[in-house]
Amino acid sequence: MKRELLDKLIPEWARDLYSKRMFSVRDLFKSDKAIIGMVHLLPLPGAPGYKGWSIDVVEEHAVREARIYEENGVDGVIVENMWDLPYYSGASRIPPEEMTAHAVVARHVVKNVSIPVGITVIHNGGRVALAIAKASGARFIRVCLYTGAAVWDTGEFDHGVAADLVRLRKALYAEDIKFFVDVVKKHSVVFPGIDIVTHTKWADFYLADAVIVTGRMTGEEPSVEDVKLVKSIVGDTPVLVGSGLTPENAEKLLKYADGAIVGTYFKVHGLTQNPVDPERVKRLMSVVNRIRGKA
């Protein structure tokens, strides 16, 4: 629903409910076609890849990468437990030793950069992500399965968490924290009958602040047709490309998307496990700035 219609068409209680949503990426970020860089945390305590390093080492790694993004014009970052794999499904299964370390590091990142910081907890740890965002001062969270139902790559069946998350956000006095939600999320297969149109309409109806469209796996781009379709459904609600953006495909994808979340391309040699490469950040941002100029 367009912002200018809120005061004209619906009663006061509904105006208040809808007025808290994002209507543009500029509501949170400094630019149109906002680019959000991924801060992939080192494996956290308890994860199979954890090597016993101190929390200081994890913090220093995360802050260094967040600063590279900020210094090279990226509009925001997401702090994610990317390497706590294999992943758990659902917030109730995230171990406390991992979520508490995540929160400590996220707070350190928030205090050391001036761009908006978000939180993701894989897979679908929405309640944990919201709690970390509240504790750390992060501005938004990515919710992997906000509505609908799906099977994750771990083999676990999972379901949407919108009802619990929206209520919890209000109870925590955290309505300034925005929900960026995936539709037909990578690393999952949605329940039969839930196509991208249906999933998008459900997410938008349940007050998503932005909708994310991904490829099938990390680093894989979505189809232009899917991005265009989702944008046509949600209207003013921002649409983000959630995987696979590169300098080569940025123009065609950002023609319809309002921004993108970028991880793999920004890494040394384009390998997700590697550190962030400042030169690759500069390269993509130069293309994005050219696209912004045309817009």
Side-chain angles (χ1 to χ4, degrees):
M1 181 173 294
K2 290 183 179 295
R3 190 194 306 248
E4 61 266 23
L5 297 181
L6 288 178
D7 291 334
K8 299 178 181 179
L9 298 182
I10 57 179
E12 182 178 355
W13 68 263
R15 290 201 304 270
D16 182 64
L17 179 66
Y18 287 99
S19 67
K20 296 179 174 65
R21 297 181 73 181
M22 279 179 53
F23 290 90
S24 166
V25 291
R26 280 188 173 272
D27 290 351
L28 186 57
F29 305 102
K30 65 182 181 181
S31 300
D32 296 321
K33 308 300 181 185
I35 301 299
I36 304 164
M38 291 303 305
V39 175
H40 292 141
L41 297 178
L42 295 174
L44 297 173
Y50 178 61
K51 294 297 184 182
W53 40 65
S54 71
I55 199 68
D56 290 340
V57 170
V58 183
E59 286 178 348
E60 288 164 6
H61 176 270
V63 169
R64 180 169 58 251
E65 301 212 327
R67 284 177 171 163
I68 290 172
Y69 287 135
E70 182 175 33
E71 290 165 2
N72 289 285
V74 172
D75 302 293
V77 296
I78 294 177
V79 180
E80 179 184 82
N81 63 329
M82 173 70 181
W83 301 118
D84 290 352
L85 51 78
Y87 307 121
Y88 287 103
S89 172
S92 64
R93 299 194 63 204
I94 308 297
E97 58 272 20
E98 293 179 15
M99 71 174 75
T100 51
H102 195 158
V104 169
V105 176
R107 178 59 179 163
H108 207 63
V109 172
V110 169
K111 291 174 70 175
N112 280 276
V113 296
S114 59
I115 54 178
V117 175
I119 305 294
T120 308
V121 176
I122 313 171
H123 277 317
N124 207 32
R127 185 184 183 109
V128 174
L130 182 57
I132 292 172
K134 179 67 176 180
S136 66
R139 305 279 301 280
F140 63 100
I141 64 172
R142 182 176 185 174
V143 187
C144 301
L145 189 61
Y146 188 64
T147 58
V151 176
W152 292 113
D153 53 9
T154 56
E156 295 167 289
F157 185 75
D158 200 2
H159 59 79
V161 293
D164 288 337
L165 273 189
V166 174
R167 285 168 171 81
L168 179 62
R169 180 170 62 176
K170 185 174 181 66
L172 294 178
Y173 293 87
E175 289 180 291
D176 58 323
I177 297 174
K178 304 304 182 185
F179 291 170
F180 292 11
V181 311
D182 283 273
V183 292
V184 191
K185 174 74 163 61
K186 60 184 177 179
H187 295 273
S188 72
V189 176
V190 294
F191 194 77
I194 305 176
D195 56 26
I196 194 168
V197 172
T198 301
H199 210 179
T200 299
K201 289 182 176 180
W202 287 351
D204 195 45
F205 182 69
Y206 281 136
L207 309 174
D209 292 292
V211 175
I212 304 168
V213 185
T214 71
R216 295 189 64 82
M217 294 293 287
T218 295
E220 294 183 10
E221 68 180 275
S223 72
V224 175
E225 291 75 19
D226 281 351
V227 177
K228 181 180 179 181
L229 175 61
V230 169
K231 187 58 182 175
S232 72
I233 293 168
V234 301
D236 286 352
T237 301
V239 172
L240 303 175
V241 172
S243 64
L245 193 82
T246 68
E248 291 72 33
N249 64 25
E251 186 156 8
K252 68 179 183 180
L253 290 171
L254 294 178
K255 178 178 179 180
Y256 302 104
D258 300 289
I261 299 167
V262 185
T264 300
Y265 175 78
F266 282 150
K267 302 302 188 70
V268 173
H269 304 308
L271 298 175
T272 315
Q273 296 84 352
N274 282 342
V276 171
D277 181 346
E279 294 305 313
R280 293 177 76 92
V281 178
K282 292 175 185 176
R283 193 177 309 142
L284 179 56
M285 291 311 299
S286 69
V287 173
V288 171
N289 286 330
R290 191 160 62 246
I291 294 168
R292 289 169 176 164
K294 290 181 181 179

